[in-house]
Amino acid sequence: KGTKEIRDGNLDDSLPYQRKDEFGQVCADFDEMRKHLKQSVLTQLQYEQYRKELIAGISHDLRTPLTSIKGYVQGLKDNIADTPEKRARYFSAIETRTADLEALVDSLASFSRMETGHYEFHFAKTDLAVWLADYLDEARMEAEKRNQDITLACDSIHAYAMLDVQEMGRVMTNLLVNSAKHAGKPRSNVQISLSQLPDNLLRIVVKDDGSGVSSVELTQIFESFYRGDAARTQPGQGSGLGLSIARQIILAHGGSIRAESDGGLSIIIELPAMGDEA
């Protein structure tokens, strides 16, 4: 009966044989096989759902700029842009949308390589406190364009970790840009803090003063192409891959990343600490 149930695709019913004899061992092994088969099927179904959502996200994000480009090109063909100034605006808009497409393709390529483990990282022992200060010195000009104020607090003078500084910069930029897009106010504030935890971990917290997110969103914002509800979504801005890429980069560093919502959104990154020697 058990073999026929599995043959027919029913992987939920366990074998009820409980006697401690040769048949009991066979049935126990058979039931273990059933459990592995069930887990394999569930994993495959989850992957298929993920693949469908990924394709839907890619299709959506490609369609938006392509539709815009097509409209501007048609306007040029129909001579709607009938003055040099209008034509210049149309060409500028096409150039911007093309750059959006290029950025999306680059993000997709990076995300794919990271997810499959084929992305090459370059790690070096780095003083995280010094690096954060240097990064923010360079990032504040772009932050000002986003009407974003950034402050930094470091508990430790020296906090060493193995970093790919370029990719960690990408993480921080993704977090700051994401925060600005969903700030919901003309000007926003972001507090970045670095602290040393007792269990040999370094914690970076990036906290904004926006409206925060729901408890459901906290478990979803690191998924690819997830943009949140209407209150935190601005169509046409961002690919929905920024936080997914950030997560892949942090995992490659041997760390963890999570989100909390309390008077704003906090992204918490924890990385393995190293000794204080340079």
mmCIF file of all heavy atoms in Angstrom, residues 71-117:
data_model
loop_
_atom_site.group_PDB
_atom_site.id
_atom_site.type_symbol
_atom_site.label_atom_id
_atom_site.label_comp_id
_atom_site.label_asym_id
_atom_site.label_seq_id
_atom_site.Cartn_x
_atom_site.Cartn_y
_atom_site.Cartn_z
ATOM 1 N N GLY A 71 8.023 55.079 -27.200
ATOM 2 C CA GLY A 71 7.186 56.261 -27.317
ATOM 3 C C GLY A 71 7.956 57.475 -27.790
ATOM 4 O O GLY A 71 7.483 58.232 -28.664
ATOM 5 N N TYR A 72 9.159 57.687 -27.258
ATOM 6 C CA TYR A 72 9.972 58.834 -27.680
ATOM 7 C C TYR A 72 10.429 58.690 -29.122
ATOM 8 O O TYR A 72 10.453 59.669 -29.888
ATOM 9 C CB TYR A 72 11.170 58.995 -26.761
ATOM 10 C CG TYR A 72 10.821 59.597 -25.409
ATOM 11 C CD1 TYR A 72 10.998 58.879 -24.232
ATOM 12 C CD2 TYR A 72 10.301 60.892 -25.322
ATOM 13 C CE1 TYR A 72 10.667 59.422 -22.999
ATOM 14 C CE2 TYR A 72 9.969 61.442 -24.092
ATOM 15 C CZ TYR A 72 10.159 60.701 -22.934
ATOM 16 O OH TYR A 72 9.828 61.244 -21.719
ATOM 17 N N VAL A 73 10.814 57.476 -29.521
ATOM 18 C CA VAL A 73 11.226 57.250 -30.908
ATOM 19 C C VAL A 73 10.064 57.518 -31.865
ATOM 20 O O VAL A 73 10.234 58.154 -32.912
ATOM 21 C CB VAL A 73 11.757 55.809 -31.090
ATOM 22 C CG1 VAL A 73 11.964 55.487 -32.563
ATOM 23 C CG2 VAL A 73 13.063 55.632 -30.338
ATOM 24 N N GLN A 74 8.873 57.039 -31.486
ATOM 25 C CA GLN A 74 7.703 57.279 -32.325
ATOM 26 C C GLN A 74 7.409 58.767 -32.429
ATOM 27 O O GLN A 74 7.026 59.269 -33.498
ATOM 28 C CB GLN A 74 6.492 56.539 -31.747
ATOM 29 C CG GLN A 74 5.290 56.489 -32.700
ATOM 30 C CD GLN A 74 5.590 55.698 -33.941
ATOM 31 O OE1 GLN A 74 6.147 54.606 -33.882
ATOM 32 N NE2 GLN A 74 5.242 56.268 -35.102
ATOM 33 N N GLY A 75 7.610 59.483 -31.316
ATOM 34 C CA GLY A 75 7.402 60.923 -31.343
ATOM 35 C C GLY A 75 8.360 61.626 -32.284
ATOM 36 O O GLY A 75 7.989 62.585 -32.978
ATOM 37 N N LEU A 76 9.607 61.147 -32.329
ATOM 38 C CA LEU A 76 10.584 61.723 -33.260
ATOM 39 C C LEU A 76 10.207 61.399 -34.709
ATOM 40 O O LEU A 76 10.313 62.246 -35.602
ATOM 41 C CB LEU A 76 11.976 61.190 -32.945
ATOM 42 C CG LEU A 76 12.603 61.692 -31.633
ATOM 43 C CD1 LEU A 76 13.840 60.873 -31.288
ATOM 44 C CD2 LEU A 76 12.966 63.177 -31.754
ATOM 45 N N LYS A 77 9.752 60.149 -34.943
ATOM 46 C CA LYS A 77 9.365 59.755 -36.302
ATOM 47 C C LYS A 77 8.159 60.553 -36.790
ATOM 48 O O LYS A 77 8.075 60.929 -37.970
ATOM 49 C CB LYS A 77 9.052 58.257 -36.336
ATOM 50 C CG LYS A 77 10.271 57.361 -36.221
ATOM 51 C CD LYS A 77 9.882 55.901 -36.180
ATOM 52 C CE LYS A 77 9.232 55.467 -37.482
ATOM 53 N NZ LYS A 77 8.899 54.021 -37.476
ATOM 54 N N ASP A 78 7.200 60.806 -35.886
ATOM 55 C CA ASP A 78 5.983 61.527 -36.256
ATOM 56 C C ASP A 78 6.173 63.038 -36.231
ATOM 57 O O ASP A 78 5.201 63.794 -36.423
ATOM 58 C CB ASP A 78 4.845 61.137 -35.316
ATOM 59 C CG ASP A 78 4.453 59.673 -35.454
ATOM 60 O OD1 ASP A 78 4.827 59.057 -36.469
ATOM 61 O OD2 ASP A 78 3.814 59.145 -34.515
ATOM 62 N N ASN A 79 7.403 63.462 -35.945
ATOM 63 C CA ASN A 79 7.752 64.891 -35.902
ATOM 64 C C ASN A 79 6.958 65.654 -34.837
ATOM 65 O O ASN A 79 6.660 66.842 -34.996
ATOM 66 C CB ASN A 79 7.531 65.548 -37.277
ATOM 67 C CG ASN A 79 8.392 66.788 -37.448
ATOM 68 O OD1 ASN A 79 9.502 66.879 -36.884
ATOM 69 N ND2 ASN A 79 7.897 67.774 -38.197
ATOM 70 N N ILE A 80 6.587 64.930 -33.742
ATOM 71 C CA ILE A 80 5.956 65.622 -32.619
ATOM 72 C C ILE A 80 6.965 66.556 -31.969
ATOM 73 O O ILE A 80 6.636 67.665 -31.538
ATOM 74 C CB ILE A 80 5.418 64.601 -31.607
ATOM 75 C CG1 ILE A 80 4.284 63.779 -32.234
ATOM 76 C CG2 ILE A 80 4.928 65.295 -30.341
ATOM 77 C CD1 ILE A 80 3.786 62.664 -31.362
ATOM 78 N N ALA A 81 8.225 66.074 -31.893
ATOM 79 C CA ALA A 81 9.301 66.939 -31.406
ATOM 80 C C ALA A 81 9.750 67.806 -32.575
ATOM 81 O O ALA A 81 10.682 67.463 -33.317
ATOM 82 C CB ALA A 81 10.449 66.100 -30.868
ATOM 83 N N ASP A 82 9.056 68.922 -32.773
ATOM 84 C CA ASP A 82 9.247 69.728 -33.989
ATOM 85 C C ASP A 82 10.162 70.917 -33.804
ATOM 86 O O ASP A 82 10.246 71.782 -34.677
ATOM 87 C CB ASP A 82 7.886 70.194 -34.507
ATOM 88 C CG ASP A 82 7.063 70.905 -33.423
ATOM 89 O OD1 ASP A 82 7.582 71.050 -32.296
ATOM 90 O OD2 ASP A 82 5.905 71.275 -33.706
ATOM 91 N N THR A 83 10.835 70.990 -32.675
ATOM 92 C CA THR A 83 11.810 72.061 -32.458
ATOM 93 C C THR A 83 13.110 71.439 -31.958
ATOM 94 O O THR A 83 13.104 70.334 -31.398
ATOM 95 C CB THR A 83 11.306 73.081 -31.420
ATOM 96 O OG1 THR A 83 11.229 72.444 -30.137
ATOM 97 C CG2 THR A 83 9.938 73.639 -31.817
ATOM 98 N N PRO A 84 14.237 72.116 -32.157
ATOM 99 C CA PRO A 84 15.509 71.574 -31.651
ATOM 100 C C PRO A 84 15.482 71.309 -30.155
ATOM 101 O O PRO A 84 16.058 70.326 -29.682
ATOM 102 C CB PRO A 84 16.517 72.676 -32.014
ATOM 103 C CG PRO A 84 15.908 73.385 -33.172
ATOM 104 C CD PRO A 84 14.425 73.353 -32.945
ATOM 105 N N GLU A 85 14.795 72.168 -29.399
ATOM 106 C CA GLU A 85 14.729 71.981 -27.949
ATOM 107 C C GLU A 85 13.952 70.714 -27.596
ATOM 108 O O GLU A 85 14.377 69.940 -26.729
ATOM 109 C CB GLU A 85 14.061 73.201 -27.288
ATOM 110 C CG GLU A 85 14.872 74.485 -27.352
ATOM 111 C CD GLU A 85 14.803 75.159 -28.710
ATOM 112 O OE1 GLU A 85 13.951 74.743 -29.549
ATOM 113 O OE2 GLU A 85 15.613 76.065 -28.953
ATOM 114 N N LYS A 86 12.814 70.482 -28.258
ATOM 115 C CA LYS A 86 12.028 69.274 -27.987
ATOM 116 C C LYS A 86 12.795 68.022 -28.380
ATOM 117 O O LYS A 86 12.795 67.015 -27.662
ATOM 118 C CB LYS A 86 10.695 69.335 -28.739
ATOM 119 C CG LYS A 86 9.674 70.280 -28.145
ATOM 120 C CD LYS A 86 8.352 70.173 -28.895
ATOM 121 C CE LYS A 86 7.303 71.097 -28.281
ATOM 122 N NZ LYS A 86 6.008 70.999 -29.025
ATOM 123 N N ARG A 87 13.464 68.084 -29.550
ATOM 124 C CA ARG A 87 14.234 66.922 -29.980
ATOM 125 C C ARG A 87 15.353 66.618 -28.992
ATOM 126 O O ARG A 87 15.632 65.454 -28.697
ATOM 127 C CB ARG A 87 14.792 67.146 -31.388
ATOM 128 C CG ARG A 87 13.750 67.010 -32.485
ATOM 129 C CD ARG A 87 14.387 66.938 -33.859
ATOM 130 N NE ARG A 87 14.985 68.219 -34.233
ATOM 131 C CZ ARG A 87 14.328 69.190 -34.846
ATOM 132 N NH1 ARG A 87 13.038 69.039 -35.162
ATOM 133 N NH2 ARG A 87 14.930 70.312 -35.177
ATOM 134 N N ALA A 88 15.973 67.663 -28.472
ATOM 135 C CA ALA A 88 17.042 67.462 -27.489
ATOM 136 C C ALA A 88 16.491 66.791 -26.232
ATOM 137 O O ALA A 88 17.128 65.904 -25.657
ATOM 138 C CB ALA A 88 17.695 68.801 -27.142
ATOM 139 N N ARG A 89 15.281 67.195 -25.798
ATOM 140 C CA ARG A 89 14.666 66.583 -24.626
ATOM 141 C C ARG A 89 14.326 65.119 -24.889
ATOM 142 O O ARG A 89 14.504 64.265 -24.018
ATOM 143 C CB ARG A 89 13.406 67.357 -24.209
ATOM 144 C CG ARG A 89 13.678 68.713 -23.586
ATOM 145 C CD ARG A 89 12.492 69.178 -22.754
ATOM 146 N NE ARG A 89 11.291 69.287 -23.552
ATOM 147 C CZ ARG A 89 10.923 70.388 -24.203
ATOM 148 N NH1 ARG A 89 11.689 71.473 -24.159
ATOM 149 N NH2 ARG A 89 9.795 70.420 -24.903
ATOM 150 N N TYR A 90 13.837 64.829 -26.084
ATOM 151 C CA TYR A 90 13.496 63.447 -26.436
ATOM 152 C C TYR A 90 14.749 62.567 -26.454
ATOM 153 O O TYR A 90 14.748 61.453 -25.922
ATOM 154 C CB TYR A 90 12.806 63.410 -27.805
ATOM 155 C CG TYR A 90 11.311 63.616 -27.752
ATOM 156 C CD1 TYR A 90 10.758 64.630 -26.967
ATOM 157 C CD2 TYR A 90 10.441 62.817 -28.484
ATOM 158 C CE1 TYR A 90 9.399 64.842 -26.924
ATOM 159 C CE2 TYR A 90 9.068 63.007 -28.442
ATOM 160 C CZ TYR A 90 8.553 64.024 -27.655
ATOM 161 O OH TYR A 90 7.202 64.212 -27.597
ATOM 162 N N PHE A 91 15.812 63.080 -27.073
ATOM 163 C CA PHE A 91 17.051 62.306 -27.126
ATOM 164 C C PHE A 91 17.631 62.103 -25.725
ATOM 165 O O PHE A 91 18.162 61.039 -25.408
ATOM 166 C CB PHE A 91 18.084 62.996 -28.027
ATOM 167 C CG PHE A 91 17.833 62.817 -29.489
ATOM 168 C CD1 PHE A 91 17.687 63.920 -30.324
ATOM 169 C CD2 PHE A 91 17.732 61.548 -30.038
ATOM 170 C CE1 PHE A 91 17.449 63.757 -31.678
ATOM 171 C CE2 PHE A 91 17.494 61.375 -31.397
ATOM 172 C CZ PHE A 91 17.346 62.478 -32.224
ATOM 173 N N SER A 92 17.517 63.117 -24.885
ATOM 174 C CA SER A 92 18.001 62.999 -23.510
ATOM 175 C C SER A 92 17.200 61.950 -22.751
ATOM 176 O O SER A 92 17.764 61.146 -21.988
ATOM 177 C CB SER A 92 17.906 64.349 -22.802
ATOM 178 O OG SER A 92 18.318 64.244 -21.463
ATOM 179 N N ALA A 93 15.878 61.947 -22.961
ATOM 180 C CA ALA A 93 15.031 60.961 -22.289
ATOM 181 C C ALA A 93 15.360 59.549 -22.761
ATOM 182 O O ALA A 93 15.419 58.610 -21.960
ATOM 183 C CB ALA A 93 13.552 61.274 -22.544
ATOM 184 N N ILE A 94 15.600 59.379 -24.064
ATOM 185 C CA ILE A 94 15.975 58.062 -24.596
ATOM 186 C C ILE A 94 17.295 57.609 -24.000
ATOM 187 O O ILE A 94 17.467 56.440 -23.624
ATOM 188 C CB ILE A 94 16.057 58.115 -26.140
ATOM 189 C CG1 ILE A 94 14.660 58.298 -26.737
ATOM 190 C CG2 ILE A 94 16.701 56.846 -26.689
ATOM 191 C CD1 ILE A 94 14.659 58.555 -28.229
ATOM 192 N N GLU A 95 18.244 58.535 -23.884
ATOM 193 C CA GLU A 95 19.551 58.201 -23.299
ATOM 194 C C GLU A 95 19.398 57.769 -21.843
ATOM 195 O O GLU A 95 20.022 56.796 -21.402
ATOM 196 C CB GLU A 95 20.483 59.410 -23.396
ATOM 197 C CG GLU A 95 21.891 59.139 -22.910
ATOM 198 C CD GLU A 95 22.793 60.347 -23.061
ATOM 199 O OE1 GLU A 95 22.284 61.492 -22.984
ATOM 200 O OE2 GLU A 95 24.010 60.165 -23.250
ATOM 201 N N THR A 96 18.538 58.459 -21.092
ATOM 202 C CA THR A 96 18.307 58.106 -19.691
ATOM 203 C C THR A 96 17.685 56.723 -19.567
ATOM 204 O O THR A 96 18.121 55.905 -18.743
ATOM 205 C CB THR A 96 17.382 59.149 -19.038
ATOM 206 O OG1 THR A 96 18.015 60.434 -19.088
ATOM 207 C CG2 THR A 96 17.101 58.782 -17.586
ATOM 208 N N ARG A 97 16.669 56.443 -20.383
ATOM 209 C CA ARG A 97 16.014 55.132 -20.308
ATOM 210 C C ARG A 97 16.964 54.013 -20.743
ATOM 211 O O ARG A 97 16.919 52.914 -20.199
ATOM 212 C CB ARG A 97 14.755 55.108 -21.185
ATOM 213 C CG ARG A 97 13.702 56.132 -20.814
ATOM 214 C CD ARG A 97 13.217 55.980 -19.370
ATOM 215 N NE ARG A 97 12.204 56.949 -19.055
ATOM 216 C CZ ARG A 97 12.430 58.164 -18.587
ATOM 217 N NH1 ARG A 97 13.675 58.552 -18.357
ATOM 218 N NH2 ARG A 97 11.436 59.000 -18.318
ATOM 219 N N THR A 98 17.810 54.298 -21.714
ATOM 220 C CA THR A 98 18.791 53.303 -22.141
ATOM 221 C C THR A 98 19.774 53.010 -21.019
ATOM 222 O O THR A 98 20.164 51.855 -20.798
ATOM 223 C CB THR A 98 19.545 53.792 -23.389
ATOM 224 O OG1 THR A 98 18.608 54.092 -24.430
ATOM 225 C CG2 THR A 98 20.515 52.728 -23.892
ATOM 226 N N ALA A 99 20.174 54.057 -20.291
ATOM 227 C CA ALA A 99 21.061 53.861 -19.139
ATOM 228 C C ALA A 99 20.377 53.028 -18.059
ATOM 229 O O ALA A 99 21.015 52.190 -17.403
ATOM 230 C CB ALA A 99 21.487 55.218 -18.574
ATOM 231 N N ASP A 100 19.053 53.240 -17.883
ATOM 232 C CA ASP A 100 18.297 52.423 -16.926
ATOM 233 C C ASP A 100 18.338 50.953 -17.338
ATOM 234 O O ASP A 100 18.517 50.063 -16.489
ATOM 235 C CB ASP A 100 16.844 52.893 -16.859
ATOM 236 C CG ASP A 100 16.706 54.263 -16.202
ATOM 237 O OD1 ASP A 100 17.651 54.678 -15.507
ATOM 238 O OD2 ASP A 100 15.655 54.902 -16.394
ATOM 239 N N LEU A 101 18.163 50.691 -18.630
ATOM 240 C CA LEU A 101 18.214 49.318 -19.126
ATOM 241 C C LEU A 101 19.590 48.700 -18.902
ATOM 242 O O LEU A 101 19.710 47.547 -18.486
ATOM 243 C CB LEU A 101 17.883 49.284 -20.624
ATOM 244 C CG LEU A 101 16.414 49.319 -21.014
ATOM 245 C CD1 LEU A 101 16.282 49.426 -22.527
ATOM 246 C CD2 LEU A 101 15.690 48.085 -20.516
ATOM 247 N N GLU A 102 20.625 49.481 -19.180
ATOM 248 C CA GLU A 102 21.990 48.983 -18.999
ATOM 249 C C GLU A 102 22.258 48.652 -17.538
ATOM 250 O O GLU A 102 22.858 47.615 -17.222
ATOM 251 C CB GLU A 102 22.988 50.023 -19.489
ATOM 252 C CG GLU A 102 24.431 49.557 -19.463
ATOM 253 C CD GLU A 102 25.387 50.592 -20.006
ATOM 254 O OE1 GLU A 102 25.044 51.790 -20.013
ATOM 255 O OE2 GLU A 102 26.502 50.207 -20.427
ATOM 256 N N ALA A 103 21.794 49.512 -16.630
ATOM 257 C CA ALA A 103 21.989 49.271 -15.200
ATOM 258 C C ALA A 103 21.239 48.014 -14.762
ATOM 259 O O ALA A 103 21.747 47.227 -13.951
ATOM 260 C CB ALA A 103 21.511 50.484 -14.397
ATOM 261 N N LEU A 104 20.024 47.803 -15.298
ATOM 262 C CA LEU A 104 19.254 46.619 -14.949
ATOM 263 C C LEU A 104 19.961 45.351 -15.414
ATOM 264 O O LEU A 104 20.058 44.370 -14.667
ATOM 265 C CB LEU A 104 17.855 46.701 -15.565
ATOM 266 C CG LEU A 104 16.978 45.448 -15.419
ATOM 267 C CD1 LEU A 104 16.757 45.110 -13.953
ATOM 268 C CD2 LEU A 104 15.650 45.632 -16.135
ATOM 269 N N VAL A 105 20.450 45.371 -16.652
ATOM 270 C CA VAL A 105 21.151 44.199 -17.183
ATOM 271 C C VAL A 105 22.402 43.903 -16.361
ATOM 272 O O VAL A 105 22.703 42.745 -16.046
ATOM 273 C CB VAL A 105 21.500 44.405 -18.667
ATOM 274 C CG1 VAL A 105 22.410 43.293 -19.173
ATOM 275 C CG2 VAL A 105 20.231 44.460 -19.509
ATOM 276 N N ASP A 106 23.145 44.955 -15.983
ATOM 277 C CA ASP A 106 24.334 44.764 -15.154
ATOM 278 C C ASP A 106 23.961 44.161 -13.800
ATOM 279 O O ASP A 106 24.647 43.258 -13.292
ATOM 280 C CB ASP A 106 25.062 46.101 -14.946
ATOM 281 C CG ASP A 106 25.772 46.579 -16.204
ATOM 282 O OD1 ASP A 106 25.965 45.747 -17.126
ATOM 283 O OD2 ASP A 106 26.117 47.768 -16.279
ATOM 284 N N SER A 107 22.874 44.663 -13.206
ATOM 285 C CA SER A 107 22.433 44.137 -11.907
ATOM 286 C C SER A 107 22.012 42.680 -12.028
ATOM 287 O O SER A 107 22.332 41.859 -11.162
ATOM 288 C CB SER A 107 21.263 44.971 -11.372
ATOM 289 O OG SER A 107 21.675 46.283 -11.048
ATOM 290 N N LEU A 108 21.298 42.352 -13.093
ATOM 291 C CA LEU A 108 20.872 40.967 -13.298
ATOM 292 C C LEU A 108 22.071 40.041 -13.452
ATOM 293 O O LEU A 108 22.103 38.946 -12.894
ATOM 294 C CB LEU A 108 19.987 40.874 -14.543
ATOM 295 C CG LEU A 108 18.540 41.347 -14.387
ATOM 296 C CD1 LEU A 108 17.867 41.452 -15.751
ATOM 297 C CD2 LEU A 108 17.763 40.407 -13.487
ATOM 298 N N ALA A 109 23.074 40.492 -14.220
ATOM 299 C CA ALA A 109 24.264 39.668 -14.425
ATOM 300 C C ALA A 109 25.002 39.445 -13.112
ATOM 301 O O ALA A 109 25.415 38.326 -12.798
ATOM 302 C CB ALA A 109 25.185 40.327 -15.458
ATOM 303 N N SER A 110 25.162 40.507 -12.314
ATOM 304 C CA SER A 110 25.846 40.385 -11.023
ATOM 305 C C SER A 110 25.068 39.486 -10.086
ATOM 306 O O SER A 110 25.637 38.614 -9.418
ATOM 307 C CB SER A 110 26.023 41.773 -10.393
ATOM 308 O OG SER A 110 26.849 42.594 -11.184
ATOM 309 N N PHE A 111 23.750 39.679 -10.020
ATOM 310 C CA PHE A 111 22.915 38.882 -9.129
ATOM 311 C C PHE A 111 22.994 37.406 -9.493
ATOM 312 O O PHE A 111 23.111 36.536 -8.621
ATOM 313 C CB PHE A 111 21.470 39.372 -9.211
ATOM 314 C CG PHE A 111 20.512 38.593 -8.353
ATOM 315 C CD1 PHE A 111 20.524 38.728 -6.977
ATOM 316 C CD2 PHE A 111 19.601 37.721 -8.925
ATOM 317 C CE1 PHE A 111 19.650 38.006 -6.178
ATOM 318 C CE2 PHE A 111 18.716 37.001 -8.143
ATOM 319 C CZ PHE A 111 18.745 37.148 -6.767
ATOM 320 N N SER A 112 22.944 37.111 -10.801
ATOM 321 C CA SER A 112 23.009 35.721 -11.250
ATOM 322 C C SER A 112 24.332 35.072 -10.877
ATOM 323 O O SER A 112 24.373 33.946 -10.378
ATOM 324 C CB SER A 112 22.793 35.656 -12.765
ATOM 325 O OG SER A 112 22.913 34.333 -13.234
ATOM 326 N N ARG A 113 25.446 35.798 -11.092
ATOM 327 C CA ARG A 113 26.762 35.232 -10.774
ATOM 328 C C ARG A 113 26.923 35.038 -9.270
ATOM 329 O O ARG A 113 27.509 34.049 -8.824
ATOM 330 C CB ARG A 113 27.876 36.127 -11.318
ATOM 331 C CG ARG A 113 27.952 36.162 -12.826
ATOM 332 C CD ARG A 113 29.293 36.670 -13.305
ATOM 333 N NE ARG A 113 29.608 37.997 -12.812
ATOM 334 C CZ ARG A 113 29.246 39.118 -13.411
ATOM 335 N NH1 ARG A 113 28.538 39.080 -14.539
ATOM 336 N NH2 ARG A 113 29.567 40.286 -12.916
ATOM 337 N N MET A 114 26.414 35.979 -8.471
ATOM 338 C CA MET A 114 26.510 35.840 -7.021
ATOM 339 C C MET A 114 25.682 34.667 -6.527
ATOM 340 O O MET A 114 26.116 33.893 -5.668
ATOM 341 C CB MET A 114 26.039 37.133 -6.342
ATOM 342 C CG MET A 114 26.986 38.295 -6.491
ATOM 343 S SD MET A 114 26.314 39.797 -5.744
ATOM 344 C CE MET A 114 27.534 41.013 -6.260
ATOM 345 N N GLU A 115 24.473 34.533 -7.062
ATOM 346 C CA GLU A 115 23.577 33.480 -6.601
ATOM 347 C C GLU A 115 24.119 32.096 -6.934
ATOM 348 O O GLU A 115 23.908 31.134 -6.188
ATOM 349 C CB GLU A 115 22.190 33.673 -7.228
ATOM 350 C CG GLU A 115 21.100 32.860 -6.545
ATOM 351 C CD GLU A 115 19.734 33.176 -7.103
ATOM 352 O OE1 GLU A 115 19.625 33.312 -8.334
ATOM 353 O OE2 GLU A 115 18.785 33.291 -6.317
ATOM 354 N N THR A 116 24.831 31.967 -8.062
ATOM 355 C CA THR A 116 25.375 30.674 -8.472
ATOM 356 C C THR A 116 26.799 30.459 -7.973
ATOM 357 O O THR A 116 27.397 29.415 -8.253
ATOM 358 C CB THR A 116 25.347 30.549 -10.005
ATOM 359 O OG1 THR A 116 26.076 31.644 -10.592
ATOM 360 C CG2 THR A 116 23.925 30.566 -10.529
ATOM 361 N N GLY A 117 27.341 31.435 -7.232
ATOM 362 C CA GLY A 117 28.677 31.277 -6.674
ATOM 363 C C GLY A 117 29.799 31.496 -7.669
ATOM 364 O O GLY A 117 30.943 31.099 -7.421
#
